[in-house]
Amino acid sequence: MATPTHPPLGLNKGSGTGLATGLTAAIAAERLATEGPNELVHATSRPWWRTVVDVLKEPMLLLLLIAGAVYLALGDRTEALVLLGFACLSVGITVVQERRTEAALAALRDLSSPRALVIRDGQRRRIPGHEVVRGDWVCLAEGDRIPADGALQEAHHLQVDESLLTGESLPVAKQIVPSKSNADSGGQASADHSQVFGGTLVTTGSGLMKVTATGPRSAIGRIGGLLGSIETAAPALQQETRRLVLWFAGIGGAVSVLAVVLYGLYRGGWLDALLAGIVIGMSMLPEEFPVVLTVFMAMGALRLAKARVLTRRAAMIEVLGSATTLCTDKTGTLTENRMRIVRLRLSDGQEVAIDANRETPLPQAFLPLLDYGLLASAPQPHDPMEKAFHELAERHGREPPSVGASDASSPAHRYPLSTELLAVSHVWEAAEPGNPALVATKGAPEAVARLCRMDAAAVQKLGAAVDELAAQGLRVLAVAQAHWHQQSNATATGLPETPEGFDFQYLGLVGLADPVRPEVPAAVAECQAAGIRVVMITGDYPATARAIGVAAGLARHAAQLRLLSGPELAALDDDALVAQVKAIDVFARILPEQKLRIVLALQRVGEVVAMTGDGVNDAPALKAADIGIAMGGRGTDVAREAAGIVLLDDNFGSIVGAVRLGRRIYDNLQKAMGFIVAVHIPIAGLAILPLATGLPLLLGPLHIAFLEMVIDPVCSLAFEVESGDADAMQRPPRARGSRLFSRQQVLRAALQGLLALGLLVGLTLALHYQGVAAGALRTMAFFALVACIVALILANRTSARGGAPRHGSSNPVLTGILVAVGLALTVSQLWPTATRLFHFERLGTGMTTLALGTGILLLLVTELTKPRRVIQPGAAGPKAQSR
């Protein structure tokens, strides 16, 4: 029996289509230049000078530049250059950080770009996918990612996985249907299945296509273009910090202007008055707010990247901690995205369960079912279900032709899956001449029942068995066998035209499962303890979705799991969906356009929605969600561009880890911001004190710049590395729209700052009235201020007594900061140049001890005035409360 042959792809000359040569290199280059590369439109990077301009708009940098100019006018070049150096350092760090982020995103896009085998100048060439142009002839083979939209010119048993576009998990059979517009359809889907689309995957067969649309003109590109209609709001935390800065800046500006006028009128010297005003303005402007926010987001993105989670927009990290609903797909996220055979059921009702973790021999009666399922699979499969047959056969030492077929490495003839018959049949030559050929088929149970010519009673019995397996979350295939002797009704190949010409005998059912990832149930439980509802959205059948939902831990029993199907959702208007959406655990048989409706409905009832997805059809929902999480392993460029976070390992556990880290970052950010508010009160107070009391200036612009640009941001890093509160995932999410600072938190920070100011003012005035010289008084005030800053860091590591972390060596960054601060103060005393630059004098042991004692006293008092943390059991787990 001869194996049918096909003409080599792209070489059927004489057809008038020019398949032998394809495009010339010159024409391809011209089209690439005029129509652009075959890639999705993505946000262009900002030029570096735009970043510099934006940084220079910050008030603190403007004050530094003005102060530097004033010092130049006064002839003090050293202090002017130091202040300008601080400004340039801040600009440089910002530019480098933005460039590195854009480079990482560009590298991710390059990694995801497929390669294509095209025919140009009569030769096959493998080129990058972004170089494919309209009119190119592209050869398709099993496992290829189709690079662009096109019209099929040849197709041999071609099946394509279009789930990234349609959400449908089963491959689509492709074939050539004569059509006058076949080659110029512009990439539109047609009912004749002769069109293929960029981003989809060839699972079986081979073909040749002519490219009709590339880049933004393709089906993927058009969906990507829709994303522009969805507005993305600025992060709430960024808006809040900017409001705080502007509020403080307004007050500081008014005080500064008043100080300049009063200083100039009563003390004389308007340049000195301007410097005094700048000092007060710098001391009252909490410029660290945006700096610390940027640092926390950047460090958080780095920590997430180490955990295989790429943050495209660092501001998404702040929203992670407030997520209330996590909408996740099933395949590859909750499950392993790897089909395994877990049940075999024979025609007589015998059944065996297969445990992938146990090497239990398969009973002899079930071997024919496995063997013929294997013979009905491709020898080198790409389809996940056929891979499952090969995996199980290998574990049990079964290899084709183990049932008497010939030693050929592939079947003599194949009957591919078609829309008319959802079954695959393979014909294998007999091992010995004269014996009948072996025919194996597998496919949808109803299709195999038709091939086996079952009567109504047998079909009903088969349907009941299929329903029983499907209720366990399994995908069910039926397997049958036949023997063939050439007959008079055969074709020229000696075989029937369709598989229905064989006399099949039903062997049994095969149940396949995509197992839930081992870590998923614990991760789901952690989400539920944290007050986060997990909702599964899938295209699978309701019975399968219900079983997976129970296995993942969405509900304890199938009866408790609340499910809504796609057809039921379609029958609801938006208001009716909003009324039901909070009560649904699983959405099954969901169409791509319905995902966006689900997200918007959840947001209408006040949920902060995190949405996972991988396909083009997921992109609008990903962008509309508060937190869009795209799959990096199997996802499309459109999904990545729409999402704020890319999950590189496609693992649900990583999502939960990201939420945990988001809460930790927010908690630590609150501590850092509280410290900044508290520390600005004594700084501003010491800047204003000379104007109110007649003391000499205690702090100059250089002192303030040193505190603002070095000590404060660096000290804030100590909060970033804190491990977070132990109950972070055992308390409900933050309410939507909640402020970073509540009124209680602001008052607590202000009281800490006022306490520090009171100690510093009392110490300074006492020393002044004792006759301490101006230089020594300034040095003493600065040293005591630094000691109070360190005390405020230690005090704000926890928001309540009894909470972790405790003060000690658990924070290596904090230890390093304390050492660095001590060295800096020592250098300012021992190095004459530094002493002159800061206008300091040498302090004795007694004065130094007094300065350090001020900080210790502040730490003790703030610790005693903290509220006590009480751990109480709650519905979702222990919840920390402060009294």
Side-chain angles (χ1 to χ4, degrees):
M1 187 183 309
T3 302
T5 60
H6 304 286
L9 292 177
L11 298 180
N12 27 353
K13 298 182 181 180
S15 64
T17 60
L19 298 184
T21 60
L23 294 179
T24 64
I27 293 177
E30 180 183 352
R31 289 187 180 177
L32 185 63
T34 56
E35 298 181 5
N38 178 36
E39 58 186 11
L40 301 176
V41 177
H42 51 79
T44 56
S45 60
R46 294 194 306 169
W48 65 269
W49 59 268
R50 286 286 303 172
T51 305
V52 173
V53 171
D54 289 344
V55 174
L56 291 178
K57 294 178 182 178
E58 296 295 337
M60 180 61 72
L61 282 175
L62 291 177
L63 289 175
L64 281 176
L65 294 175
I66 293 173
V70 172
Y71 272 114
L72 284 176
L74 291 173
D76 194 337
R77 295 183 179 179
T78 302
E79 294 204 22
L81 291 176
V82 171
L83 292 175
L84 293 176
F86 279 128
C88 293
L89 180 62
S90 178
V91 172
I93 291 174
T94 304
V95 172
V96 170
Q97 177 185 337
E98 186 164 318
R99 296 297 101 181
R100 291 181 64 183
T101 302
E102 291 177 354
L105 293 177
L108 180 62
R109 284 194 295 267
D110 291 342
L111 287 174
S112 64
S113 178
R115 298 182 68 82
L117 182 63
V118 301
I119 300 175
R120 289 186 181 172
D121 295 318
Q123 301 292 325
R124 298 191 183 196
R125 298 178 182 174
R126 185 74 65 177
I127 64 173
H130 62 80
E131 294 182 8
V132 172
V133 298
R134 180 176 53 84
D136 257 329
W137 296 94
V138 180
C139 301
L140 305 176
E142 290 184 2
D144 284 351
R145 182 74 66 178
I146 298 176
D149 291 2
L152 283 176
Q153 307 302 310
E154 295 184 25
H156 307 299
H157 310 313
L158 184 65
Q159 295 185 51
V160 179
D161 178 359
E162 295 184 342
S163 59
L164 293 178
L165 276 172
T166 66
E168 178 57 50
S169 58
L170 293 178
V172 178
K174 297 292 182 178
Q175 54 189 342
I176 303 299
V177 176
S179 172
K180 62 181 180 180
S181 60
N182 186 48
D184 299 303
S185 63
Q188 297 294 329
S190 59
D192 58 11
H193 295 283
S194 62
Q195 301 293 315
V196 291
F197 303 95
T200 59
L201 179 69
V202 178
T203 59
T204 306
S206 59
L208 181 71
M209 62 173 278
K210 182 179 180 180
V211 175
T212 57
T214 61
R217 294 167 293 280
S218 64
I220 286 182
R222 287 194 300 275
I223 295 178
L226 295 177
L227 301 179
S229 63
I230 302 176
E231 295 293 332
T232 302
L237 203 55
Q238 188 177 15
Q239 297 179 37
E240 183 177 352
T241 54
R242 183 160 292 277
R243 283 195 299 268
L244 284 172
V245 171
L246 291 176
W247 187 73
F248 276 99
I251 296 177
V255 175
S256 297
V257 171
L258 180 62
V260 170
V261 173
L262 293 177
Y263 196 101
L265 290 176
Y266 293 105
R267 290 198 177 188
W270 287 97
L271 283 179
D272 290 333
L274 181 58
L275 280 178
I278 291 174
V279 167
I280 295 173
M282 292 173 66
S283 67
M284 298 186 68
L285 181 64
E287 184 66 16
E288 300 89 351
F289 278 150
V291 173
V292 169
L293 180 62
T294 300
V295 169
F296 270 60
M297 296 302 106
M299 294 299 292
L302 180 60
R303 295 182 189 280
L304 284 169
K306 292 179 179 178
R308 306 289 293 164
V309 178
L310 177 66
T311 308
R312 293 192 64 253
R313 294 188 291 274
M316 282 291 101
I317 300 174
E318 76 192 50
V319 191
L320 276 171
S322 62
T324 60
T325 299
L326 175 54
C327 296
T328 175
D329 57 353
K330 175 183 72 70
T331 304
T333 306
L334 295 178
T335 65
E336 296 180 359
N337 195 23
R338 179 184 177 188
M339 300 299 292
R340 291 178 180 172
I341 296 175
V342 296
R343 287 281 193 282
L344 294 177
R345 172 173 287 192
L346 300 181
S347 57
D348 61 5
Q350 293 185 69
E351 183 175 319
V352 62
I354 300 171
D355 188 346
N357 298 319
R358 296 177 59 188
E359 295 295 335
T360 304
L362 196 63
Q364 190 71 26
F366 292 88
L367 292 179
L369 178 58
L370 172 59
D371 288 335
Y372 276 92
L374 181 64
L375 290 173
S377 302
Q380 283 141 9
H382 291 275
D383 184 88
M385 289 183 287
E386 293 191 341
K387 288 181 179 179
F389 276 98
H390 278 265
E391 179 185 356
L392 183 60
E394 183 178 352
R395 285 174 52 196
H396 293 281
R398 312 296 292 181
E399 297 182 4
S402 60
V403 291
S406 70
D407 292 332
S409 60
S410 62
H413 190 73
R414 302 178 183 179
Y415 294 93
L417 191 78
S418 67
T419 55
E420 295 79 18
L421 185 66
L422 297 176
V424 176
S425 300
H426 290 174
V427 180
W428 293 82
E429 289 184 351
E432 298 179 5
N435 287 345
L438 299 177
V439 187
T441 189
K442 72 175 189 321
E446 61 271 21
V448 174
R450 173 180 156 191
L451 291 176
C452 295
R453 301 177 181 88
M454 290 183 178
D455 56 28
V459 170
Q460 184 177 4
K461 180 180 178 182
L462 176 66
V466 170
D467 290 342
E468 183 181 339
L469 292 175
Q472 301 173 37
L474 305 182
R475 178 162 291 178
V476 185
L477 296 178
V479 178
Q481 66 163 340
H483 294 83
W484 175 253
H485 288 283
Q486 186 167 349
Q487 301 173 6
S488 58
N489 64 342
T491 63
T493 63
L495 295 172
E497 291 186 2
T498 69
E500 293 177 288
F502 298 108
D503 186 13
F504 280 106
Q505 177 187 354
Y506 170 63
L507 293 177
L509 298 175
V510 178
L512 299 101
D514 183 5
V516 171
R517 290 178 181 264
E519 67 275 8
V520 163
V524 170
E526 188 174 7
C527 283
Q528 293 169 341
I532 302 171
R533 192 164 65 96
V534 180
V535 176
M536 185 172 74
I537 303 176
T538 178
D540 262 340
Y541 290 100
T544 303
R546 187 180 296 275
I548 293 297
V550 172
L554 302 186
R556 292 185 178 180
H557 306 289
Q560 296 177 339
L561 191 138
R562 298 158 296 183
L563 185 144
L564 185 71
S565 68
E568 292 170 336
L569 188 150
L572 302 175
D573 60 23
D574 289 344
D575 291 334
L577 178 59
V578 168
Q580 293 192 31
V581 72
K582 288 195 74 171
I584 305 301
D585 300 307
V586 173
F587 293 88
R589 298 305 285 170
I590 294 299
L591 298 175
E593 58 270 18
Q594 293 176 325
K595 296 181 180 181
L596 180 58
R597 286 191 65 197
I598 294 171
V599 170
L600 296 178
L602 285 167
Q603 290 175 327
R604 280 185 60 185
V605 297
E607 299 291 308
V608 179
V609 182
M611 169 77 182
T612 71
D614 58 358
V616 173
N617 57 79
D618 296 328
L622 286 173
K623 188 167 185 180
D626 300 278
I627 308 163
I629 306 173
M631 300 298 134
R634 66 182 190 276
T636 60
D637 281 349
V638 172
R640 293 189 186 106
E641 291 290 338
I645 291 175
V646 178
L647 205 62
L648 298 180
D649 59 1
D650 298 1
N651 190 333
F652 182 81
S654 297
I655 302 174
V656 180
V659 172
R660 188 188 307 112
L661 181 58
R663 291 193 175 192
R664 165 188 162 182
I665 291 171
Y666 193 88
D667 288 347
N668 290 341
L669 187 58
Q670 280 188 320
K671 298 170 185 176
M673 295 298 192
F675 160 73
I676 292 171
V677 170
V679 82
H680 268 275
I681 293 176
I683 293 176
L686 287 184
I688 297 174
L689 184 64
L691 296 179
T693 61
L695 291 173
L697 287 179
L698 298 174
L699 302 177
L702 183 60
H703 302 106
I704 301 295
F706 182 79
L707 293 173
E708 300 280 352
M709 302 298 293
V710 179
I711 293 182
D712 290 353
V714 172
C715 288
S716 299
L717 289 177
F719 295 107
E720 195 280 328
V721 299
E722 291 289 354
S723 58
D725 296 333
D727 66 337
M729 291 295 284
Q730 295 174 325
R731 60 176 186 250
R734 302 189 310 272
R736 179 186 285 272
S738 62
R739 295 293 184 89
L740 177 64
F741 277 149
S742 66
R743 182 175 301 177
Q744 181 181 10
Q745 290 168 327
V746 172
L747 288 176
R748 187 181 304 165
L751 288 175
Q752 289 182 353
L754 290 173
L755 178 60
L757 177 59
L759 292 174
L760 290 170
V761 169
L763 175 65
T764 303
L765 292 177
L767 293 175
H768 173 67
Y769 291 129
Q770 290 180 10
V772 175
L777 189 64
R778 179 182 299 109
T779 308
M780 183 65 183
F782 188 83
F783 273 50
L785 175 58
V786 171
C788 287
I789 289 174
V790 173
L792 289 173
I793 296 174
L794 298 174
N796 282 279
R797 288 185 68 196
T798 58
S799 56
R801 280 184 290 164
R806 304 298 299 167
H807 306 312
S809 59
S810 60
N811 190 327
V813 174
L814 177 59
T815 302
I817 289 172
L818 295 178
V819 172
V821 169
L823 289 175
L825 294 180
T826 301
V827 168
S828 70
Q829 290 288 284
L830 300 181
W831 187 26
T833 302
T835 303
R836 289 193 301 271
L837 183 64
F838 283 90
H839 304 287
F840 282 168
E841 289 187 8
R842 294 283 297 273
L843 293 180
T845 303
M847 297 283 278
T848 303
T849 303
L850 184 60
L852 295 177
T854 304
I856 295 173
L857 178 60
L858 175 62
L859 176 60
L860 293 175
V861 175
T862 52
E863 279 295 314
L864 292 175
T865 56
K866 278 185 183 180
R868 180 178 295 276
R869 183 182 301 272
V870 179
I871 304 296
Q872 295 180 345
K879 294 181 182 179
Q881 298 182 355
S882 298
R883 291 180 178 176

